[in-house]
Amino acid sequence: MKKDQTTGKHGISRREFLKGTAAGALSIAAAGVLGACASDTGATTGAAETTTGAAAEAAETTAAAAKSLYTPGTYSATAQGMGEVKVTMTFDADSITDVALDLSNETDSIGQAAGDDLKAALLKAQSADIDAISGATVTTNAVKDAAAKCIAQAKGEAVAEAAGEAAAASEDDWLGEAPDITDDMVEEEISADVLVIGCGVAGVAAVRAAAEEGAKVVAVEKASGPQCRSGEYAVINGNVQAKWGRNTWTKEQIDGIVDFHMQESCYKVKRPIISKWANNIGETFDWWVGANPDLYYAPETRSPIPDESADNYLIPIFYPLPEKYDWTKEAFPCYPTSVEFLPNQNVTFQANMQAAIDTGNVDARYGHFAEKLIMEDGRCRGAYLRNAGTGKYVKVLASGGVVLATGDYSQNEAMVRHFCPDVIDNGIVRMFTNVDVEGNMTNQGDGIRLGMWAGAAVQQAHAPMIHHMGGGADLSGVGVMGNAGFLNLDMNGRRFMNEDLPGQQLENQIELVKDRKSWQIFDANWPEQLPYMPAAHGGACYFEDITPEEAPANNATYRNYKSPYQLEAAIADGRCISADTLEELMARIYPDDKEAQETALKSVARYNQLAKDGEDLDFGKVQSRMWPLEKGPFYADQFECALLLVIIGGLESDEECHTFDENRNVIPGLYVAGNVQGSRFAAEYPITLKGVSHSMAMYYGYVAGKNAVLGV
């Protein structure tokens, strides 16, 4: 009897159990039908003749149906896009006659806007094989997936799912079993020193680090090329930070940063991992940007950018700091450590991959899917890669080691439900746009499954990255006032939290209230109040009295800076509600709910009194951020659950990027970096270090690449 890969115990595997359950359910159903036929044989002759006639008619119907393409009816199915997409299709015997799409969970200006075109395409194609709508690839792929399920049902191919419990259980079998790949399925064999699976930030850093050591590296990516997004990095010390005088962090201060990270992760992470990164990231970040000699360094956050550098510049975040902000006195400090590549990190990212290729030591294989690791005598020796172009396998043997840098799993519904069920229970929309060469989302948890099939253990507490950026967001995702700590009332009109919270903790509170929504409320004094707000990720804390034409060249908008024209635009777009009186405002934000209106007015009166008394007896907000709502006009924008960016939780690891088996013994030759590297974040994403996820992925990609060369 083999060992169950899911439970770690000896016995029948989960997959075998599920197969047996499904088969059993179908056998019982079939036995029931046969039993009913047998019982009819004992009836009177007349009844037998009637049964025979009905059977003949049924046989004719069955024969006719066999000649038809579909069983007429209406069928529905769902798939994961930005959120859950539902497709309902109606069929006659030979065609799709109608299509209805529920895209309410998709981005309104992108996925939802593509609804009519997607419906028309399905009806015209009479299949799920339709072209992607430009700019809405994620939604298109989800619609195609769900439509294919509807068509399968109409063809009778989903009969086994009638045993609903078995079908639901099979969807929970997120691990499955490693594919059976033999050498006769291999079209090519490659020998290398290092194999890097995944070419995101961590993977590219690993490829370059290993290649610069002189190692022969095979780099694998299932998309058409290296993949990256956004561009924030937390960086402590180093030559880049010296440009802004931010290279003065002491050992004591760095230890404090590490300790705070441990606290935010509930001490479910490994301190040596955090400490090694914090003490070495500065030098490694200098190495990373060194691949991009044309990078422009902005003197300040809001400096104008020369036209020739508009697509390739780096800003210091919160520089200079707001005059009223002292991070050393904050309950949730946002450390002044972070920088951001704008308009994104792609130029620097691609420059690093090119630097690796320029060594002459890299064999980059795009459109290749790593499907099974090769283990010999307890050591990882390489992997089998499926070439999407040929359907055949490439066998790579790496003498030093294999680096898994495969990203997260947030578009794998079964894995999310297993590790982070609250994400699904709270209806969190998962934002991810990168797709592989076959049109599917790349973040499917490949590395976790590959590692577990090879005997690696997974960390226990994972960290969904859902940091709130404020209500009434525009198309770029910038909220009206961000998550600045103005008064916040729930949908019953009650104050429910200390509003002076970073985005991740704020999100946690929003998830606990009615409808998972609330209202951020402020008055006409907001320009004087912003400088007292914390310099936190997504929070408004700088006031600029400028017009769009007066904004810094090529650096026109940054989320922490607010001008009157931005508020006016939000009101015009319906993203913010304004009123001359509080009574009018409450009537507008709680329409048809007199009780909520009255409760809200009482909540404001209570808040105003606490602000005047100089002490928040209800929730303990600091006095410097308590202001009475007195001067009209008054404003409100709605908070709801934020988008999930990634889920950070992977294979158990250490500061050398090793992986471990279930007994916490190192698995030789198998390394991890990026979101598949566990033991770095737990419970929630710590937002006090803006960009720490990218930063740690790059740093530990560098470490993994070097260690894999030596096999240590």
Side-chain angles (χ1 to χ4, degrees), residues 473-492:
D474 59 17
L475 292 178
S476 67
V478 177
V480 176
M481 285 292 158
N483 54 35
F486 294 111
L487 174 65
N488 213 291
L489 303 180
D490 68 15
M491 299 309 291
N492 291 315

Side-chain angles (χ1 to χ4, degrees), residues 538-613:
C541 55
Y542 298 90
F543 174 70
E544 292 181 323
D545 192 3
I546 61 174
T547 65
E549 294 73 25
E550 295 169 332
N554 301 312
N555 192 11
T557 303
Y558 199 70
R559 65 184 70 92
N560 305 106
Y561 293 74
K562 297 298 175 184
S563 293
Y565 79 85
Q566 293 171 298
L567 179 57
E568 292 165 6
I571 294 170
D573 293 344
R575 296 182 288 111
C576 183
I577 296 171
S578 67
D580 292 331
T581 67
L582 284 168
E583 288 78 10
E584 181 186 354
L585 183 70
M586 300 312 171
R588 294 193 65 189
I589 66 177
Y590 299 109
D592 306 318
D593 191 341
K594 294 292 185 182
E595 184 177 352
Q597 294 173 28
E598 293 174 2
T599 300
L601 290 171
K602 291 178 182 178
S603 296
V604 171
R606 169 68 175 171
Y607 185 80
N608 286 352
Q609 188 60 53
L610 294 173
K612 292 175 181 178
D613 292 344

Side-chain angles (χ1 to χ4, degrees), residues 451-470:
M452 290 189 71
W453 291 335
V458 181
Q459 74 173 87
Q460 293 178 329
H462 295 199
M465 187 188 293
I466 319 173
H467 47 74
H468 213 288
M469 302 293 281

